[in-house]
Amino acid sequence: RDFDGRFGGFGGAPKFPHPTDLALLLRPKGVQSWRGDDPLAREAALITLTRMAEGGIYDQLGGGFCRYSTDERWEIPHFEKMLYDNGPLLGLYADAWALTGDELFRRTAEQTVGWLQREMSSPEGAFYSSLDADSEGEEGRYYVWDRAEVEGLLPPEESVLAARRWGLDGPPNFENAHWHLRVVVPMGGKSEPLTPDETALLESARARLFAARERRIRPGRDDKILTAWNALMIEGLAHAARIFDRPDWLAAARRALDFIRATLWRDGRLLATTKDGKAHLNAYLDDYAYLLSAL
């Protein structure tokens, strides 16, 4: 009853991903266990995963999901990025690709791992907790654009395509006449398919804008390492590694697990967190449960 058939997800604004709910609907064993095999349940999950990947809750340039959407359309997020969402979502997008072969799901999974390895991985192989929403005292400043900046960075043919694809040819959707990128989807429809040439142009535009964004002042990062949140990412990463046949992803998951074993396991007990070389706090139930599931 709560499913939003137009935009995906459940309920109205603010709208959260709820990956455990989506897993129940997407994975046949979970569905069969409570109401029989229900294609409508799976369709609800796939619509939601599609709309999220096309929306502003997903970082169209750098990969990874923000914490939640401030609107029902997944368009403008609270720009904080959390490790605990991205791990389960990575596993779900791998499953969605296995079920459908949809290139959107594969690209979303690959770019999310790219974000994880680029921005959230410690030198020892564990994963940091989160990225702030703010930079330079303003929420979203790192992520949003004005039209003149985009036009100055892109060749004309890329600029026209990027504007059409990401909504820059419409009215601003963020504060102070700025745009936050999302794939423009017609009301009640699907995103416009791209030709191979357009796909190459859009990827070139994405790379140029991403490189320009990398020169901005970054949001702050919470670099404490939490056992439970690392376990959620280890599970998602290992699951996606199997589905996409990516031994490098599996190696990254094992490296993070090795860190937990070496740093957060002491005298037969699990610890909850470590930062700046200090591991402490007895583990909680979620630390044990998520780690067991990851293993």
Side-chain angles (χ1 to χ4, degrees), residues 88-105:
L89 286 170
L90 173 59
L92 280 171
Y93 277 94
D95 282 342
W97 177 82
L99 285 169
T100 67
D102 191 325
E103 176 69 11
L104 173 68
F105 299 144

Side-chain angles (χ1 to χ4, degrees), residues 202-223:
L202 192 68
E203 177 56 28
S204 176
R206 187 195 70 81
R208 291 178 199 271
L209 294 179
F210 176 77
R213 196 180 76 178
E214 285 283 274
R215 296 192 289 270
R216 297 176 177 177
I217 296 175
R218 291 178 173 278
R221 182 173 62 195
D222 182 349
D223 59 0

Side-chain angles (χ1 to χ4, degrees), residues 2 15-17 27 48 52 58 63 69 76 92-93 100 127 172 175 208 234 243 246 275 287 292:
D2 283 344
K15 190 174 276 184
F16 288 77
R27 292 170 180 158
T48 300
M52 285 171 51
Y58 180 69
S69 175
I76 303 297
L92 280 171
Y93 277 94
T100 67
F127 304 120
E175 302 162 358
R208 291 178 199 271
I234 289 167
I243 289 175
R246 292 292 300 262
K275 178 177 167 60
D287 296 299
L292 282 166

